[in-house]
Amino acid sequence: MFTNSVNFATNIIISGINNNKLKNDKPEFSRITIKVGSNVITQSDGSLNDGRILRIVEDVAVLNKQGFEVILISSGAVAAGRGEVHPSKKTNIIAAKQVWAAIGQVKLMSSYQFLFGKYGIQAGQLLATKESFRDRRHYLNMKNCISAMLENHVLPIVNENDTISINELMFTDNDELSGLISSMMDCQSLIILSNVDGIYNGDPGLPGTELITRIDKDSENPEKYISSVKSGFGRGGMSTKCSVARKLATHGIDVFIANGTRDAIISDIVRGKPVPYTHFVAESKRETGVKKWLSHSDTFAKGAVIINSGAREALLGDKATSLLMIGITSVKGVFKSGDIVRIVDVDGHNIGLGKCQFDSKKTEQNIGKKLNKPFIHYDYLVINEKNKYNVQV
Ligand code: GLU
């Protein structure tokens, strides 16, 4: 079924590349993450929409052939498996989803491999879990793998490992995963494709409602326009997209939320064509190395320590300061040495987070003591500068 349409599309792409060289080769697009939601590539009955996958593949292929480094985050595994097996009454819904993902991920990747293969592009799979980001060694292994794939012109296609990521081990959704991968891989931009054009300043069905095209650090928080109602097969909603986008933009990555059911939307955005989308404009700050890993790990923290006012002042001051045992007043949760732990003040404000050098038991035993070894060394500590989030621990 694919072959004819692929040949047809290939012709269009080849002529497009020859005659229509990208005008806009702005550096911020040289390495891009593209996240494709389940709602983009599934039909109303939940089965995979092969025609739409083909359109996405041809769009990505254009960029790939132009030398852009693209990392694809694709949902759709569970949806792809759903029609294949009807689990028995004995199988609960969680196990059913695991079975669907086990079947569907293979189907999804076969489609991608076949279609990218038609354009001479080798695609490879990477399945991640929360643990892959929580543990720095896993994190670096994953980063090295994707770097090596890109170096060897293999297009990485990433999804959550839905067969083993259950409940609290799960990412909120693939929007969260796409943010983590974009940050880890130092991408300049992330394009999140769903089945709407972006964020609206009201109900899109009502007259006078407009698409918000640009959000920067001075814009009002767009969350107030977002309804929590979610439609379709994916786990994600506009709210997570928005919070992922705001966070990435703060860390120097441009984010576009756009409609993946529009043909050529990806290359149109990269070319700077006036297509509909919501653009979260990147701020200049970019973190690197350990600090970057930490600043994107706040949802993975294993526990927290409460600190006294002296430690709070020292950490929020201008000098780089480690967190010492003497500044800790209590411990929440169970953690091991090397885990990521949140730092919270007595009023419950989230001051920052870091990689601890003591487990929770030893920390409890040493609270308030003067030790030479800091609880968190400043090289492994990230302060929430805006200190604006209230966190319940
Ligand atoms: N990883 C899930 C899948 O492939 C989708 C998660 C999401 O919708 O964000 O089915």
Side-chain angles (χ1 to χ4, degrees):
M1 172 237 134
F2 285 130
T3 321
N4 284 340
S5 39
V6 166
N7 289 341
F8 174 67
T10 311
N11 293 337
I12 295 175
I13 286 170
I14 301 294
S15 60
I17 288 170
N18 290 341
N19 306 330
N20 196 9
K21 217 173 162 3
L22 291 184
K23 283 188 218 95
N24 184 354
D25 56 350
K26 284 194 283 174
E28 63 262 34
F29 279 113
S30 58
R31 184 178 280 182
I32 320 165
T33 307
I34 295 161
K35 187 259 169 175
V36 184
S38 297
N39 287 336
V40 176
I41 53 168
T42 51
Q43 316 194 75
S44 49
D45 64 356
S47 60
L48 282 184
N49 183 338
D50 294 327
R52 183 48 41 203
I53 296 180
L54 170 60
R55 294 273 102 82
I56 303 272
V57 166
E58 52 184 59
D59 208 6
V60 171
V62 173
L63 299 184
N64 183 283
K65 295 286 178 204
Q66 295 273 343
F68 292 94
E69 288 184 317
V70 180
I71 301 167
L72 195 62
I73 315 291
S74 181
S75 304
V78 175
R82 207 181 286 266
E84 300 295 321
V85 166
H86 302 285
S88 71
K89 285 209 174 80
K90 208 166 89 193
T91 312
N92 66 34
I93 184 66
I94 294 174
K97 281 191 181 159
Q98 289 177 284
V99 174
W100 289 332
I103 300 164
Q105 180 63 26
V106 181
K107 281 187 69 185
L108 187 65
M109 276 311 296
S110 311
S111 293
Y112 277 127
Q113 268 207 326
F114 175 76
L115 293 171
F116 277 116
K118 291 286 169 193
Y119 296 107
I121 298 169
Q122 183 61 260
Q125 166 187 276
L126 195 133
L127 297 176
T129 65
K130 259 194 165 180
E131 207 50 44
S132 324
F133 290 91
R134 192 176 267 149
D135 182 288
R136 183 148 169 84
R137 205 137 55 99
H138 282 199
Y139 174 90
L140 292 176
N141 287 347
M142 188 166 50
K143 184 173 180 179
N144 290 343
C145 174
I146 298 183
S147 300
M149 286 167 99
L150 292 173
E151 249 164 54
N152 289 286
H153 309 290
V154 177
L155 189 124
I157 303 182
V158 184
N159 194 2
E160 179 165 11
N161 191 345
D162 299 301
T163 56
I164 54 168
S165 297
I166 308 297
N167 297 336
E168 73 285 353
L169 297 177
M170 276 157 85
F171 295 105
T172 314
D173 50 42
N174 270 1
D175 298 322
E176 184 187 13
L177 175 60
S178 69
L180 291 163
I181 295 278
S182 306
S183 161
M184 177 177 80
M185 295 311 299
D186 287 322
C187 292
Q188 285 81 25
S189 306
L190 163 66
I191 299 176
I192 299 180
L193 298 178
S194 84
N195 56 357
V196 289
D197 287 332
I199 300 173
Y200 287 85
N201 63 359
D203 180 345
L206 294 177
T209 301
E210 283 174 1
L211 184 70
I212 305 172
T213 53
R214 184 190 154 94
I215 294 171
D216 60 30
K217 66 177 184 350
D218 301 320
S219 308
E220 57 178 346
N221 190 343
E223 296 258 6
K224 69 175 189 194
Y225 297 120
I226 297 169
S227 110
S228 55
V229 181
K230 202 181 66 57
S231 61
F233 292 96
R235 280 211 307 273
M238 204 44 96
S239 185
T240 349
K241 288 180 184 41
C242 190
S243 68
V244 166
R246 279 166 65 86
K247 189 165 179 181
L248 284 197
T250 314
H251 289 101
I253 299 174
D254 282 284
V255 181
F256 297 81
I257 299 179
N259 193 337
T261 66
R262 288 180 183 270
D263 290 349
I265 186 75
I266 306 165
S267 33
D268 282 351
I269 292 174
V270 174
R271 282 189 175 102
K273 280 198 177 175
V275 284
Y277 53 68
T278 300
H279 177 192
F280 288 75
V281 181
E283 290 174 37
S284 52
K285 186 179 150 210
R286 287 191 88 100
E287 265 145 354
T288 52
V290 177
K291 297 254 180 192
K292 188 174 67 177
W293 167 62
L294 285 169
S295 64
H296 287 276
S297 305
D298 51 357
T299 54
F300 306 137
K302 293 266 174 81
V305 288
I306 315 299
I307 57 166
N308 61 28
S309 57
R312 181 184 194 277
E313 232 167 82
L315 291 176
L316 293 178
D318 290 338
K319 272 188 21 205
T321 312
S322 300
L323 175 60
L324 308 175
M325 282 293 184
I326 197 161
I328 298 176
T329 59
S330 62
V331 173
K332 302 264 172 175
V334 177
F335 49 83
K336 295 197 297 280
S337 165
D339 280 348
I340 299 163
V341 170
R342 278 185 290 125
I343 305 166
V344 180
D345 71 9
V346 278
D347 297 322
H349 296 120
N350 196 9
I351 302 298
L353 77 166
K355 189 173 166 184
C356 65
Q357 305 202 77
F358 295 84
D359 62 27
S360 44
K361 203 166 158 208
K362 280 222 176 80
T363 310
E364 258 164 7
Q365 287 162 355
N366 288 295
I367 275 177
K369 287 191 186 156
K370 257 190 172 174
L371 301 187
N372 285 338
K373 188 165 143 185
F375 175 70
I376 299 173
H377 188 274
Y378 68 79
D379 277 346
Y380 293 89
L381 190 149
V382 172
I383 295 300
N384 179 3
E385 281 160 32
K386 290 180 186 158
N387 190 26
K388 59 184 179 184
Y389 304 109
N390 284 324
V391 174
Q392 297 302 317
V393 292

